[in-house]
Amino acid sequence: MNRREALSRVAVLVGGSIIGAEFFLSGCKNHGTVNTENLFEKDTIAFLNEAGETILPQTTTPGAKAADVGSFMAVMVRDCYSDKDQETFKKGLTQLNNSCKEKYKKDFMDASKEQRLELLTQLDKEAKEYNKNKKKDEPNHYFTMIKQLTLLGFFTSEVGCKQALRYVPVPGKYDGNYPYKKGDKAWALA
């Protein structure tokens, strides 16, 4: 799957445009001034993996944690987000944890799966409402970034392509009449 196709699919999944898409398509060459090294700390990667796993949990297929979306997010934020979006993302991680402390009196990492899901569902609604009324120069919502990067990271990973989607390593020729049954998995274009 090339970058443009992956971005299009994630945009369809999240119902809008992708934050940082201009950098994704240009090869991610941001040389910003924001220090993003803390995103690569073991605890931060674990936090991002747990947030991703809450968004895309393991079912009959692996979840986001199996694809290590936390590491993917750290690289994408460092290399492909603008300085403004990097700051928003970093502050958002603290804000997410503080929201969990406020609501459940515990850190996000200590919250139960049900509490995490309830919190992220609430944040998703908040982000959708924010994005509806957002003016062009206002910052993006941090939860929108986390959700988009989770989906992009998972569905472009080996785990996502081979186990959540249908994957043919050497597809051969295009067959426009290939049989499709309702409920079949989508194809991976890796």
Side-chain angles (χ1 to χ4, degrees):
M1 177 181 312
N2 67 38
R3 264 189 220 134
R4 191 173 302 277
E5 289 168 314
L7 291 173
S8 296
R9 287 182 179 193
V10 171
V12 168
L13 286 171
V14 297
S17 61
I18 303 297
I19 298 166
E22 64 280 0
F23 282 110
F24 296 165
L25 294 174
S26 68
C28 298
K29 296 174 183 166
N30 182 21
H31 302 291
T33 57
V34 177
N35 181 357
T36 56
E37 290 310 308
N38 68 326
L39 294 176
F40 293 90
E41 292 174 3
K42 186 178 172 184
D43 291 346
T44 306
I45 297 291
F47 183 92
L48 292 170
N49 274 328
E50 290 300 329
E53 186 73 13
T54 305
I55 293 167
L56 275 178
Q58 178 180 353
T59 56
T60 56
T61 60
K65 197 169 16 176
D68 192 20
V69 296
S71 296
F72 176 83
M73 284 191 232
V75 170
M76 295 302 279
V77 169
R78 180 193 63 196
D79 294 350
C80 301
Y81 274 6
S82 68
D83 287 358
K84 185 176 171 183
D85 286 335
Q86 288 174 340
E87 286 289 349
T88 300
F89 187 88
K90 287 175 59 176
K91 287 178 185 169
L93 299 183
T94 304
Q95 197 171 338
L96 194 161
N97 199 47
N98 288 343
S99 295
C100 194
K101 282 181 185 174
E102 236 175 68
K103 190 168 180 131
Y104 304 111
K105 311 292 182 229
K106 55 178 88 167
D107 287 329
F108 182 78
M109 294 298 279
D110 297 327
S112 69
K113 286 181 181 180
E114 293 78 19
Q115 290 170 328
R116 289 178 185 176
L117 180 60
E118 184 179 67
L119 178 64
L120 294 191
T121 301
Q122 178 186 333
L123 287 174
D124 191 38
K125 285 179 188 168
E126 176 188 306
K128 284 178 183 170
E129 192 62 35
Y130 176 84
N131 290 333
K132 264 192 224 171
N133 303 315
K134 177 182 168 286
K135 293 185 174 78
K136 190 176 181 176
D137 56 338
E138 290 179 334
N140 292 302
H141 196 285
Y142 69 92
F143 184 73
T144 303
M145 298 176 185
I146 292 171
K147 186 175 176 181
Q148 289 179 351
L149 289 173
T150 297
L151 296 174
L152 184 63
F154 181 75
F155 288 111
T156 56
S157 72
E158 182 175 349
V159 168
C161 285
K162 289 185 175 176
Q163 295 180 43
L165 301 171
R166 292 189 285 176
Y167 175 74
V168 178
V170 182
K173 68 176 183 169
Y174 171 75
D175 181 0
N177 286 327
Y178 192 83
Y180 171 79
K181 290 180 288 181
K182 190 173 182 175
D184 282 350
K185 293 178 182 176
W187 287 98
L189 300 172

